Amino acid sequence: MIDDGTGLFTIGELSRSTGLSVRTIRYWSDEGALPPVARSSGGYRLYDAASVARLELIRTLRELGLGLDDVRKVLAGETTVAEVAAAHVVALDAQIRSLKVTRAVLSTVARRGSTAEEMTLMNKLARLSAAERKRIADDFMEETFGGLDTADPDIRTRMRFGLAELPEDPTPEQVDAWVELAELLQDKGFRRRMRKMIEFNAADRGPDVPAGTSLWFMSRLVQLAGEALEQDVDPESPEAEEVLGPLLGNADRAAVLERLESAAHVEMARFRELNALVRGMEPLSAHRAEFAWVVAALRARPAR
């Protein structure tokens, strides 16, 4: 307080009493957040006790990350602290989501040893809007099922609704899985393999085959193979035919093998795993061992 009986403070005295630098106080004053109440005879800015309280409020708001525009509005009574805080929470949530995406991309780059070009692609994929992510899924579905009207509709429905959507507030692990899933959905080789699998399904279905039959067949095949594995049945043994025979009947074993191999490739298993990870769920079993057993059994007796 200056020694003139007015009870006013210079910037230097405010600095000493608050711990804020003279430069900071002067900047806030220049920006209109802390206007002086008077000037000394020498032209120095002077502040009163209310200015000290105002200065503490400015410091608190700034430490919470509010910009000077919002600070001035609060001080001028144009908005309340609560209103500004609510708006700031929304902004912080968006910033946190962006930081999670950034962290996920950088973690993936570090783990893969990615090039600059790969990093740029991953960053773009991770930051796609919901509409852009939907377009990727729709394009994949069209290229896989387009024109194949006789394909089992239950497969189409399960696959479309099985394509995971990135949550509004994803974890780094979910972003990481989504980036890999988006890359896979756009991979031409993967799309060709998925298309071939659906072409096989469409060719095998007659007009009177109920929807869901294909899914039931694969589920039953996995179940039988699982039981055979538990009983240590050798896929090349005669006992393997006893396992598969009732289900396959007179079907062309070579054709069944070709179709099974198209549905049991490694990328299809990874596709299922990634969708589960994006949802934040534990991936379901890909039944690799069961499919491998059936493939080995069919290869041992392709002409039956």
Side-chain angles (χ1 to χ4, degrees):
M1 185 182 303
I2 61 174
D3 189 19
D4 63 357
T6 61
L8 299 178
F9 302 86
T10 64
I11 285 181
E13 288 166 332
L14 284 180
S15 174
R16 287 190 291 272
S17 65
T18 62
L20 290 163
S21 70
V22 169
R23 182 178 181 180
T24 296
I25 297 172
R26 183 178 291 117
Y27 172 69
W28 289 348
S29 183
D30 290 341
E31 292 297 312
L34 187 69
V37 297
R39 292 270 181 174
S40 70
S41 58
Y44 293 103
R45 285 174 274 203
L46 300 176
Y47 304 88
D48 58 11
S51 300
V52 177
R54 187 182 180 96
L55 184 57
E56 288 297 341
L57 176 57
I58 295 170
R59 170 157 60 181
T60 299
L61 293 173
R62 292 292 287 157
E63 286 176 347
L64 289 172
L66 272 68
L68 278 176
D69 284 343
D70 285 328
V71 170
R72 282 193 293 265
K73 289 177 182 177
V74 170
L75 295 171
E78 297 174 10
T79 187
T80 66
V81 170
E83 290 170 339
V84 171
H88 200 56
V89 166
V90 173
L92 282 174
D93 285 343
Q95 185 179 9
I96 289 169
R97 286 194 293 271
S98 179
L99 287 172
K100 285 182 177 179
V101 170
T102 299
R103 182 187 183 280
V105 170
L106 291 175
S107 297
T108 303
V109 168
R111 189 184 69 252
R112 294 185 182 181
S114 302
T115 64
E117 290 77 11
E118 290 170 334
M119 180 179 66
T120 299
L121 174 60
M122 281 188 282
N123 189 49
K124 288 180 179 178
L125 289 174
R127 297 181 190 281
L128 291 176
S129 67
E132 290 169 327
R133 294 196 297 270
K134 181 179 182 300
R135 179 186 55 75
I136 289 176
D138 289 345
D139 287 349
F140 168 77
M141 290 296 296
E142 177 58 29
E143 190 161 335
T144 301
F145 288 91
L148 300 177
D149 297 335
T150 59
D152 192 328
D154 279 9
I155 294 179
R156 180 194 297 267
T157 299
R158 179 173 293 192
M159 188 172 294
R160 183 64 186 90
F161 286 100
L163 287 173
E165 292 288 337
L166 190 64
E168 284 297 315
D169 187 21
T171 65
E173 292 74 22
Q174 287 173 309
V175 175
D176 191 8
W178 158 251
V179 168
E180 186 177 343
L181 178 61
E183 290 176 322
L184 186 59
L185 290 176
Q186 297 176 94
D187 182 79
K188 293 181 180 179
F190 179 66
R191 288 189 175 193
R192 282 195 298 270
R193 282 185 285 276
M194 294 297 288
R195 176 76 179 188
K196 182 178 181 181
M197 180 181 73
I198 301 304
E199 286 174 344
F200 281 145
N201 178 261
D204 290 340
R205 290 188 76 245
D208 300 324
V209 177
T213 300
S214 307
L215 296 173
W216 175 87
F217 176 82
M218 294 298 285
S219 177
R220 181 61 176 154
L221 196 63
V222 166
Q223 180 187 356
L224 292 174
E227 293 171 356
L229 285 167
E230 289 179 359
Q231 298 167 16
D232 293 325
V233 175
D234 187 332
E236 298 184 8
S237 68
E239 289 80 5
E241 176 61 26
E242 296 176 11
V243 173
L244 295 178
L247 179 63
L248 299 180
N250 296 323
D252 183 341
R253 302 299 173 85
V256 173
L257 174 61
E258 186 179 16
R259 284 151 175 72
L260 185 63
E261 288 176 328
S262 76
H265 54 82
V266 173
E267 285 179 328
M268 184 60 184
R270 185 58 178 163
F271 171 74
R272 296 192 188 99
E273 292 170 353
L274 291 170
N275 275 293
L277 290 170
V278 173
R279 286 194 172 86
M281 301 166 56
E282 285 295 321
L284 298 175
S285 172
H287 301 296
R288 288 188 173 92
E290 290 87 344
F291 281 123
W293 187 92
V294 176
V295 167
L298 291 172
R299 286 175 176 169
R301 51 186 60 78
R304 291 196 178 221

